[in-house]
Amino acid sequence: MELIDSFILGLIQGLTEFLPISSSGHLVLGEALLGDSLDKSITFEVVVHFGTLCSIVIYYRKKLADILTSLWQLVKSPSQAKEQYVNDDNVKLSAFILLSMIPAVIVGLTLKDQIENIFLNPVMVSFMLLLTGTILYITRFRMDFPNKIGYGNAIGIGLAQAFAILPGISRSGSTISLGLYLGVKREEVANFSFLMVIPVIAGAMLFEVKDMIELGIPFNDVLGLLVGFLAAFISGYFALKYLIIMLQNKGIHPFAWYCWAVGLIGLYYFW
């Protein structure tokens, strides 16, 4: 893979992993535009996903440290688990994250290959981007957000995350949008959406790492992989930071116009 291709695909991955515009959809369209001969290996996929994983871990480093500290206290004193659950919001959050992962794990282990075989083409991705735009736009009609994350909306947001296995459906867009529909506070649902994806990305990477180890890493590809990693890491960090700020001030419905535009252009170009 050429360095410019590595940079472009890493940049696309970083920007679209967290902005509600579908990273998988943009990668499909980006690869189609760059040409069918583009050699994007499983190793490159692992590296750019690791870049976005690092960006979210760095952004939430303080919150993650608090969660790990609370969980360590839980491990050290299991007899006080009930009391700690009642008094420690980090333990509750961990339980909600674990619950939200269940739908994505089930779908990922059973239907991922079948879904990608059906939907992994530019035309279908363009239709899914139009749907993502509609999902985002409807959030503008929700004006009050009185609720907090609980068991019910955690599993609902988890179902939205599983739905986003469809290329062109934004994971952050669908999970945040559902949280807003349910009346969860904007910042809280955004933070939950991004924290809950950490174990999902990490788990998906573990499956890919196995294939990567079997294939090996050619020495000539190291520089391209580094470029892809840095592009995904840096762009992902700032995309995440920008989205949190925008969500607090305006919401996420303005991204609907972008999704609609890209979806329509995709249909025109690839149909």
Side-chain angles (χ1 to χ4, degrees):
M1 184 185 296
E2 298 292 334
L3 290 182
I4 186 63
D5 292 343
S6 297
F7 174 77
I8 291 173
L9 291 177
L11 186 66
I12 291 173
Q13 172 67 27
L15 290 175
T16 59
E17 180 70 38
F18 303 124
L19 296 181
I21 54 179
S22 178
S23 61
S24 60
H26 276 71
L27 285 175
V28 170
L29 297 180
E31 291 165 27
L33 288 172
L34 289 172
D36 295 334
S37 61
L38 178 63
D39 180 21
K40 187 174 74 68
S41 66
I42 187 69
T43 302
F44 185 82
E45 291 186 4
V46 171
V47 168
V48 294
H49 277 96
F50 184 61
T52 52
L53 179 63
C54 288
S55 66
I56 196 171
V57 168
I58 294 297
Y59 185 86
Y60 283 107
R61 59 190 180 278
K62 293 181 180 179
K63 185 61 176 177
L64 289 172
D66 291 340
I67 291 174
L68 292 175
T69 299
S70 295
L71 292 178
W72 177 243
Q73 292 297 324
L74 189 65
V75 171
K76 290 200 305 181
S77 305
S79 60
Q80 300 177 5
K82 184 176 181 179
E83 180 181 352
Q84 189 174 356
Y85 176 82
V86 172
N87 298 321
D88 193 334
D89 288 339
N90 289 319
V91 175
K92 291 181 182 178
L93 179 59
S94 301
F96 297 152
I97 290 174
L98 183 62
L99 185 65
S100 72
M101 290 171 53
I102 295 174
V105 171
I106 293 174
V107 172
L109 292 177
T110 59
L111 299 175
K112 183 176 185 296
D113 292 337
Q114 295 91 320
I115 290 174
E116 289 187 347
N117 288 336
I118 297 172
F119 291 93
L120 201 60
N121 68 75
V123 173
M124 289 303 303
V125 164
S126 297
F127 277 118
M128 292 300 103
L129 282 169
L130 295 178
L131 178 57
T132 290
T134 302
I135 292 170
L136 297 175
Y137 189 76
I138 296 174
T139 63
R140 70 173 299 184
F141 302 109
R142 181 76 198 217
M143 305 302 294
D144 60 322
F145 306 97
N147 302 323
K148 302 184 71 174
I149 294 291
Y151 283 109
N153 47 37
I155 193 67
I157 293 172
L159 289 169
Q161 178 168 250
F163 175 62
I165 195 173
L166 296 172
I169 298 295
S170 167
R171 192 210 65 83
S172 63
S174 57
T175 55
I176 293 174
S177 293
L178 182 59
L180 295 178
Y181 297 153
L182 296 173
V184 180
K185 295 178 176 63
R186 288 177 173 179
E187 185 175 5
E188 183 171 353
V189 72
N191 291 336
F192 182 72
S193 173
F194 294 123
L195 288 170
M196 68 186 275
V197 80
I198 292 177
V200 174
I201 294 178
M205 279 181 53
L206 289 177
F207 283 100
E208 294 176 340
V209 165
K210 178 179 178 294
D211 295 332
M212 183 187 76
I213 293 174
E214 292 176 354
L215 294 173
I217 304 176
F219 180 77
N220 293 337
D221 292 345
V222 171
L223 183 57
L225 294 173
L226 179 61
V227 169
F229 169 82
L230 290 175
F233 170 68
I234 296 172
S235 62
Y237 180 86
F238 286 103
L240 176 56
K241 186 174 183 179
Y242 170 75
L243 180 61
I244 297 294
I245 294 172
M246 185 170 181
L247 182 62
Q248 291 172 336
N249 296 329
K250 294 184 178 181
I252 59 173
H253 64 270
F255 287 102
W257 299 100
Y258 174 83
C259 291
W260 285 334
V262 174
L264 290 173
I265 291 171
L267 289 176
Y268 175 80
Y269 189 86
F270 295 109
W271 191 288

